[in-house]
Amino acid sequence: ARKPLNGTPPQVSKALPSSLLERRPDVASRERLMAAANERAGIARTAYFPQVGINLGGGFESAKVEKLFDGDSFLSSIGGGVQQVVFDGGLRGARHRRALAERAEAAANYKETVVTAFREVEDALAAIQLLEKQHTIQQRAVESARRMLELSEKQYEAGFVSYFEVVIAQRALLRAQQSAAQLLGARFEAAVLLVRALGGGW
């Protein structure tokens, strides 16, 4: 038999460090591949992952996630520009050019993976916030329907209305409760999606 869905989803912190996303398997894997490509190209490893705040109400501090990787800022953050290496010591052989091409490809893949991770977190946070508001409104509707049922039952007992009015109120309450249960389930699902997007929780 099915059991009623009770309880509330876990509360999300108002501010989360973006470094949580580095635990994601896809991000960690792409970072290792890029580190290896950098090493083959003779580029020292620095901090790859963009550090920004994640806020429950407003998403990320950056207006657009893509801006985290704009221009030379991303190239320098992953270990220096290509020009710096091409003219370092006169290494212009085919092997080195191939290493630089592999490094560029690894950097592009890493960027794509990180941007996807940020978007998934932002979508999950937005869904959590929206569903919480909708569920609160629906809970009020449930309470209103419950009061209407109580009023209908009293009016029926006093002989002012027929039992049909009570049945209508009962159905209205049931529909309101079903909607509230569906929204609660959606809130739990959104919390699970956030945990997955963050790489295991917060």
Side-chain angles (χ1 to χ4, degrees):
R2 293 184 178 181
K3 296 181 180 180
L5 184 62
N6 296 316
T8 57
Q11 292 297 311
V12 181
S13 173
K14 295 296 182 181
L16 301 168
S18 61
S19 58
L20 289 173
L21 275 69
E22 292 184 83
R23 303 174 307 175
R24 286 174 53 126
D26 55 346
V27 173
S29 175
R30 290 295 187 186
E31 183 174 347
R32 286 193 297 271
L33 290 173
M34 190 170 65
N38 274 2
E39 187 176 347
R40 288 193 296 272
I43 301 172
R45 183 200 187 284
T46 57
Y48 305 142
F49 198 86
Q51 301 297 317
V52 297
I54 306 174
N55 297 314
L56 178 59
F60 298 99
E61 291 175 355
S62 175
K64 290 186 178 179
V65 174
E66 288 85 349
K67 289 185 177 180
L68 299 172
F69 299 94
D70 275 353
D72 295 332
S73 60
F74 177 61
L75 288 176
S76 61
S77 72
I78 61 173
V82 172
Q83 239 183 0
Q84 170 187 337
V85 178
V86 172
F87 297 104
D88 183 13
L91 298 176
R92 304 186 185 186
R95 286 183 60 188
H96 195 63
R97 286 196 296 271
R98 185 178 66 184
L100 290 175
E102 290 174 352
R103 179 260 190 177
E105 182 181 1
N109 290 335
Y110 180 71
K111 170 187 173 180
E112 182 181 0
T113 302
V114 171
V115 168
T116 298
F118 271 71
R119 282 177 175 162
E120 288 179 357
V121 171
E122 195 160 36
D123 290 346
L125 287 171
I128 285 173
Q129 189 176 27
L130 176 62
L131 289 167
E132 185 176 353
K133 290 179 180 179
Q134 291 178 336
H135 187 241
T136 298
I137 293 172
Q138 189 59 36
Q139 286 289 78
R140 293 174 186 159
V142 170
E143 292 305 315
S144 177
R146 183 175 287 113
R147 288 194 295 269
M148 287 299 298
L149 175 58
E150 292 173 355
L151 178 61
S152 297
E153 289 174 337
K154 290 179 180 178
Q155 289 178 331
Y156 169 72
E157 291 171 359
F160 294 126
V161 298
S162 67
Y163 191 72
F164 182 67
E165 297 296 328
V166 176
V167 172
I168 292 176
Q170 288 174 337
R171 290 178 177 175
L173 175 59
L174 180 59
R175 286 194 298 269
Q177 290 173 329
Q178 288 174 335
S179 296
Q182 289 171 351
L183 286 169
L184 180 58
R187 288 180 62 191
F188 276 105
E189 290 177 3
V192 170
L193 289 177
L194 178 61
V195 168
R196 186 171 65 181
L198 288 171
W202 56 87

